[in-house]
């Protein structure tokens, strides 16, 4: 990693940072965001609801568009986060302006899709002319893509304050996969100084976008390996009581599709929902066993529990409780397998509003205040 620092050194400037007063929650607040392109406007709405309730995340975890939204949130002071998110989504919606005149003929969205594929998205990506040389042309790992993400690099350099992130108490973890090893890696501001390259790597979805080099190794979008970054929170060490706001963009369940378009859409949902539910169930089982180990340790006589052997085994136990607030983005009327490139102002507004309104309702119900069985480690609030 480039320029690693210890946690103590990184936090030396904390006195300069102001934090937002928030309601008392039972543990650290974690905001977890999947990848999903234009669907990420839902995540921005989730954050808006949290922000207006005075709930700022202690830890943001993101992959792909979730990494972009996450970097904008964690890389700005709380009072600037929402306006920076609004600016980003306003920039990427500009490309729809040129196709708006086709709305009168019912072709606005079709023309937007054609323009996105042929011209890219302002402030995000643009065609890579070298790709026109053909699929077999050796372009190099950082140029072998249909589009260039140079516009996104310029956009994020204006919207994310990496100096602030380096000294902030808000932790940021970004998921990316090593192209050569095929292993998932989370770049974590708790342990390292994050840069624009780390955000770009997490959003480098092939073959559309090029790989990004970090410490001499190429990285792609973590969503191609696992689009469920919630797992890194549950595997964290040391474990902490947590309230996890999990913004999920893809439909885990749906009706059987009856057309090729619907088959393609359902295929994408299943692929990128990425076993979110099964991951959580597995973690529930693991944390449940840790709680059982803790309770069994209490039953041991003192002369046994005090032995080094017993202490080592008892240390596998855990008493932390993690509340998972499941925030599922709704399917919009008429959407299809191209919904993740729907950067039209209307599409963005609908998803942003859905995220804000759904999250407002969840926050108002405060499910984390419900009684919890002490043997449970992870409580999912659907």
């Amino acid at each position: 990693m480039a320029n690693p620092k210890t946690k103590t050194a990184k936090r030396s400037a904390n006195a300069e940072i102001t934090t937002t007063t928030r309601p008392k929650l039972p543990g650290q607040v974690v905001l977890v965001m999947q990848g999903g392109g234009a669907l990420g406007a839902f995540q921005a709405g989730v954050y808006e609801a949290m922000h207006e309730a005075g709930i700022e995340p202690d830890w943001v975890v993101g992959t792909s568009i979730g990494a972009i939204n996450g970097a904008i949130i964690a890389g700005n002071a709380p009072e600037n986060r929402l306006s920076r998110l609004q600016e980003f989504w306003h920039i990427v919606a500009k490309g729809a302006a040129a196709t708006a005149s086709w709305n009168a003929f019912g072709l606005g969205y079709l023309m937007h899709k054609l323009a996105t594929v042929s011209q890219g998205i302002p402030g995000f990506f643009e065609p890579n002319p070298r790709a026109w040389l053909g699929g077999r042309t050796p372009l190099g790992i950082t140029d072998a893509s249909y589009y260039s993400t140079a516009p996104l690099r310029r956009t994020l350099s204006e919207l994310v304050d990496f100096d602030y992130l380096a000294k902030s108490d808000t932790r940021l973890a970004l998921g990316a996969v090593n192209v050569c090893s095929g292993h998932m890696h989370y770049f974590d501001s708790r342990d390292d100084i994050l840069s624009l390259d780390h955000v770009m790597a997490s959003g480098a979805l092939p073959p559309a976008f090029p790989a990004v080099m970090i410490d001499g190794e190429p990285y792609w979008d973590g969503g191609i390996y696992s689009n469920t970054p919630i797992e890194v929170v549950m595997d964290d060490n040391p474990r902490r009581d947590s309230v996890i706001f999990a913004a999920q963009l893809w439909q885990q369940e749906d009706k059987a599709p009856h057309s090729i378009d619907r088959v393609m859409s359902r295929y994408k949902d299943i692929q990128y929902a990425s076993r979110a539910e099964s991951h959580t169930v597995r973690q529930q089982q693991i944390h449940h066993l840790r709680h059982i180990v803790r309770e069994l340790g209490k039953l041991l006589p003192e002369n046994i529990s005090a032995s080094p052997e017993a202490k080592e085994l008892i240390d596998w136990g855990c008493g932390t409780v993690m509340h998972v607030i499941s925030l599922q983005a709704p399917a919009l009327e008429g959407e299809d397998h191209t919904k993740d490139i729907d950067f039209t102002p209307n599409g963005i507004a609908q998803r942003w509003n859905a995220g804000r309104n759904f999250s407002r309702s969840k926050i108002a119900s405060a499910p984390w205040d419900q009684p919890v069985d002490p043997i449970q480690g992870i409580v999912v609030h659907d």
Side-chain angles (χ1 to χ4, degrees), residues 2 18 27 39 45 54 57-58 67 94 96 98 126 129 148 150 188 252 293 305 327 346 370 373-374 376:
T18 58
L39 306 182
D58 300 299
K94 285 182 179 178
E126 62 191 9
S148 165
D188 195 329
Q252 185 75 37
V293 170
S305 63
L327 302 167
N346 182 58
Q370 297 173 8
D373 184 339
Q376 283 187 279

Side-chain angles (χ1 to χ4, degrees), residues 201-248:
S202 186
L205 181 65
F209 303 152
V212 176
M213 301 297 294
I214 298 176
D215 292 341
E217 296 284 337
Y219 285 88
W220 276 333
D221 190 318
I224 67 173
Y225 184 95
S226 175
N227 206 33
T228 311
I230 195 171
E231 60 196 5
V232 74
V233 181
M234 297 175 178
D235 285 332
D236 195 35
N237 188 24
R239 289 171 293 279
R240 296 176 57 187
D241 290 339
S242 304
V243 178
I244 305 169
F245 291 85
Q248 301 177 45

Side-chain angles (χ1 to χ4, degrees), residues 18-272:
T18 58
T19 56
T20 302
T21 302
R22 72 181 186 207
K24 184 173 177 57
L25 278 74
Q28 66 175 344
V29 175
V30 187
L31 175 57
V32 176
M33 296 181 286
Q34 291 182 327
L39 306 182
F42 177 85
Q43 299 166 343
V46 169
Y47 173 73
E48 182 179 8
M50 294 174 63
H51 180 76
E52 68 183 15
I55 302 174
E56 295 294 337
D58 300 299
W59 184 9
V60 181
V61 185
T63 298
S64 197
I65 193 66
I68 293 171
N69 281 331
I72 294 172
I73 293 169
N76 283 287
E79 62 269 22
N80 296 327
R81 291 170 176 172
L82 186 57
S83 63
R84 294 289 190 272
L85 280 174
Q86 290 168 336
E87 186 174 352
F88 172 77
W89 287 97
H90 175 72
I91 288 172
V92 299
K94 285 182 179 178
T99 60
S101 60
W102 289 89
N103 289 339
F105 305 99
L107 298 175
Y109 184 43
L110 173 61
M111 297 305 295
H112 169 69
K113 289 191 290 185
L114 292 174
T116 298
V117 172
S118 61
Q119 302 171 30
I121 293 291
F124 201 153
F125 59 91
E126 62 191 9
N128 175 17
R130 296 192 68 197
W132 303 342
L133 297 175
R136 295 181 180 273
T137 304
L139 302 177
I141 186 61
T142 60
D143 208 17
S145 61
Y146 292 116
Y147 300 95
S148 165
T149 50
L152 178 62
R153 184 176 289 273
R154 292 191 292 269
T155 298
L156 292 181
S157 67
E158 296 293 327
L159 296 180
V160 181
D161 185 343
F162 287 96
D163 290 334
Y164 174 88
L165 177 62
K167 63 186 180 182
S168 171
D169 277 332
T170 304
R171 181 180 172 188
L172 176 64
L174 308 174
V177 63
N178 186 297
V179 176
C180 298
S181 71
H183 293 161
M184 186 72 171
H185 184 84
Y186 285 94
F187 297 104
D188 195 329
S189 68
R190 180 185 63 180
D191 308 313
D192 302 285
I193 298 298
L194 299 189
S195 69
L196 185 52
D197 282 341
H198 298 98
V199 186
M200 299 294 294
S202 186
L205 181 65
F209 303 152
V212 176
M213 301 297 294
I214 298 176
D215 292 341
E217 296 284 337
Y219 285 88
W220 276 333
D221 190 318
I224 67 173
Y225 184 95
S226 175
N227 206 33
T228 311
I230 195 171
E231 60 196 5
V232 74
V233 181
M234 297 175 178
D235 285 332
D236 195 35
N237 188 24
R239 289 171 293 279
R240 296 176 57 187
D241 290 339
S242 304
V243 178
I244 305 169
F245 291 85
Q248 301 177 45
L249 305 180
W250 302 90
Q251 306 302 311
Q252 185 75 37
E253 299 179 3
D254 202 350
K255 297 179 292 185
H258 295 288
S259 68
I260 292 177
D261 273 357
R262 293 304 303 158
V263 166
M264 293 173 67
S265 181
R266 185 67 190 128
Y267 164 75
K268 228 173 187 180
D269 274 330
I270 293 172
Q271 179 183 17
Y272 289 115

